[in-house]
Amino acid sequence: RSPLAAQGGLLLRRPMADFCSAVDSAAVLADQRAEIEAMGEVDEQWLEDGDPPETLNEAEERIGRLTLVHADRVEMKPLNPLWPGRIYIGKLTTLAGVPDQGKSLVTCDIAARVTRGMAWPDDSGIAPKGTVIFLAAEDDKADTIVPRLAAAGADLSKVKILNSLVLSQKGKSKSRRTFSIAEDIAELTKVIRRYPDTRVLFVDPTNAYMGTSKETDSFRDSDVRAVLGPLKEWAEEHSVAVVLVTHFKKGGTGTALDQVMGSLAFVALSRSSWAFLAEKGSDGEPTGRKLLARIKQNITKPVDALACHIEGVELGNGIAAPKMVWEEEVEGDANMFMSGGGGEKLSIAKAFLLGTLAEGPVKASEVRADAENSGIAKKTLERAKKELGIGSVQKAGAWYWHVEGTEVPVM
């Protein structure tokens, strides 16, 4: 009977007691070495240690302790979107913002759409239906997380929330410690095997699960890569989207990327990164809306920001919770909005409209054409029209834009 058993793609050694009664230990070791050698060229130290290496796929080759992947043997595959243009299955995604702006409401909205298989708010498609998992260290489950999920319309039976504390045993003593991405990623694998339809894992906030400060410095690039590198591979292997929620630095300056708390490796290892921030109008004052705006997006065509506002929902029994209500897309990325450029572009669009319509109504098609020639994006023009209260009216088969109070000519 072979001393090696297959489990989860790995070869595991059976307990010696299972077969030592039939053969002596020397024969067992000889058989074990023969099976390992039959797997292909293996480093001699592996054979001395007695630990069988992982099975290679047809695109891989092992040389010593290194594994090479032959590009010509790799079967290409398309990207697998969770939210097309924004979040992808098998990839890390960063969601950053200042505290108390509503980042967790974004995760609850995403979770609701995934658990129900609902449409995305930007008309980019339908969410792949499945289970979602939360690692949430800052919010209470009973009075915050679950009510917010319910307000967003989630199927609560498809939501699993992992306790931040995990069982730990040293010798005969048992205790609890904080979940660590570095130490407990194998435990996550067990959860995925229990719920194989898992589509997304939210880690909120990521810094809470990076290990102790003695082990990991979240501001040191090499430390962050050592923790998140295996998580990136885990996401790819198990086809799970991982959303890393984090904060902006206090008093941060520079680009949006520079303001994400911790090492730049958080954003570097993520395939897309998003800022959730308050929108400001052309006067520099908050509009009351929020924006989900791009910090980094290097695997697909860039998409514009998405505006939203927060509303309260009564759930009954004296329980109420906020929910996210999405609005239209807004031209620009996080760098532009955080530097005030969004307000400047809106101001230009408003000035253009007021000047174009100053002498009376103009055909909408002509306004749009002139705006495009002036470098004003369609979304910015529509937003300026809405904020200025520009009216639209149809006459003789043509649409006209006009400032309220002006008369549209009869054709």
Side-chain angles (χ1 to χ4, degrees):
R1 186 181 175 198
S2 172
L4 299 179
Q7 180 175 321
L10 299 178
L11 293 176
L12 304 180
R13 190 180 298 105
R14 292 192 178 97
M16 294 288 287
D18 286 356
F19 51 85
C20 278
S21 58
V23 293
D24 59 33
S25 58
V28 169
L29 292 175
D31 288 346
Q32 207 171 34
R33 183 183 180 97
E35 280 200 57
I36 295 173
E37 289 178 323
M39 297 172 63
E41 184 179 347
V42 177
D43 186 280
E44 185 66 24
Q45 186 62 45
W46 260 324
L47 297 178
E48 292 177 6
D49 294 341
D51 293 328
E54 296 179 358
T55 303
L56 299 179
N57 63 44
E58 61 183 13
E60 295 175 330
E61 176 187 3
R62 183 168 287 114
I63 301 178
R65 291 184 177 271
L66 301 179
T67 301
L68 302 183
V69 178
H70 296 273
D72 60 336
R73 302 178 192 173
V74 174
E75 182 179 353
M76 293 185 288
K77 61 182 181 180
L79 291 168
N80 187 6
L82 183 82
W83 185 351
R86 302 181 195 272
I87 302 174
Y88 284 82
I89 292 173
K91 310 295 182 186
L92 303 186
T93 298
T94 302
L95 174 62
V98 299
D100 300 324
Q101 284 294 326
K103 295 187 299 298
S104 64
L105 294 181
V106 176
T107 62
C108 287
D109 183 88
I110 294 170
R113 294 174 191 277
V114 171
T115 60
R116 297 284 185 185
M118 295 190 294
W120 294 111
D122 55 1
D123 297 324
S124 59
I126 305 295
K129 188 175 181 179
T131 294
V132 303
I133 298 175
F134 279 84
L135 261 173
E138 294 183 342
D139 294 323
D140 185 270
K141 302 174 187 65
D143 63 24
T144 303
I145 300 175
V146 173
R148 289 179 176 183
L149 286 165
D155 177 354
L156 297 180
S157 70
K158 303 290 285 184
V159 180
K160 313 303 173 186
I161 305 170
L162 295 178
N163 283 331
S164 297
L165 297 179
V166 299
L167 294 175
S168 177
Q169 183 168 352
K170 293 183 179 180
K172 294 183 179 180
S173 62
K174 293 182 179 180
S175 62
R176 289 179 178 268
R177 59 169 174 77
T178 302
F179 181 96
S180 167
I181 296 173
E183 294 184 41
D184 300 312
I185 197 166
E187 301 302 312
L188 277 180
T189 301
K190 295 177 183 178
V191 176
I192 297 301
R193 287 174 179 166
R194 177 71 62 87
Y195 301 101
D197 69 335
T198 298
R199 299 287 179 260
V200 57
L201 166 68
F202 297 102
V203 186
D204 184 8
T206 307
N207 282 350
Y209 302 104
M210 294 292 290
T212 66
S213 58
K214 293 181 180 179
E215 301 166 345
T216 305
D217 184 347
S218 295
F219 288 85
R220 184 181 295 129
D221 190 84
S222 58
D223 284 9
V224 173
R225 288 182 180 275
V227 175
L228 296 187
L231 182 62
K232 172 179 173 290
E233 293 184 357
W234 179 89
E236 294 172 355
E237 179 182 353
H238 297 286
S239 296
V240 175
V242 177
V243 178
L244 305 173
V245 182
T246 187
H247 300 306
F248 280 143
K249 299 171 184 174
K250 292 182 179 180
T253 57
T255 66
L257 187 151
D258 293 329
Q259 296 191 43
V260 176
M261 182 175 286
S263 163
L264 289 179
F266 282 105
V267 177
L269 286 170
S270 298
R271 296 301 85 201
S272 61
S273 298
W274 302 89
F276 192 69
L277 41 84
E279 180 188 52
K280 293 183 179 180
S282 55
D283 58 358
E285 295 298 318
T287 65
R289 303 199 308 176
K290 312 291 183 183
L291 295 173
L292 180 65
R294 181 182 77 254
I295 297 176
K296 166 191 171 181
Q297 185 187 22
N298 64 2
I299 57 174
T300 60
K301 179 182 177 181
V303 296
D304 283 322
L306 194 57
C308 60
H309 67 273
I310 298 172
E311 292 184 357
V313 177
E314 294 293 334
L315 299 172
N317 298 321
I319 301 173
K323 67 170 289 187
M324 197 66 65
V325 179
W326 298 100
E327 300 183 24
E328 78 279 5
E329 287 186 293
V330 179
E331 179 197 14
D333 61 13
N335 283 328
M336 187 183 79
F337 295 118
M338 295 175 76
S339 65
E344 181 181 351
K345 288 193 173 187
L346 183 61
S347 296
I348 293 172
K350 286 182 176 180
F352 165 82
L353 279 177
L354 293 175
T356 301
L357 304 177
E359 297 183 4
V362 178
K363 284 185 177 181
S365 58
E366 295 179 5
V367 176
R368 292 192 180 98
D370 289 345
E372 184 178 357
N373 291 334
S374 299
I376 298 173
K378 180 180 178 181
K379 293 170 185 175
T380 305
L381 182 70
E382 294 290 342
R383 182 182 169 198
K385 175 179 179 287
K386 179 180 179 180
E387 292 194 11
L388 289 173
I390 301 296
S392 299
V393 65
Q394 189 176 30
K395 290 286 186 178
W399 283 96
Y400 287 81
W401 285 8
H402 65 99
V403 176
E404 292 298 333
T406 59
E407 185 178 348
V408 178
V410 178
M411 305 300 291

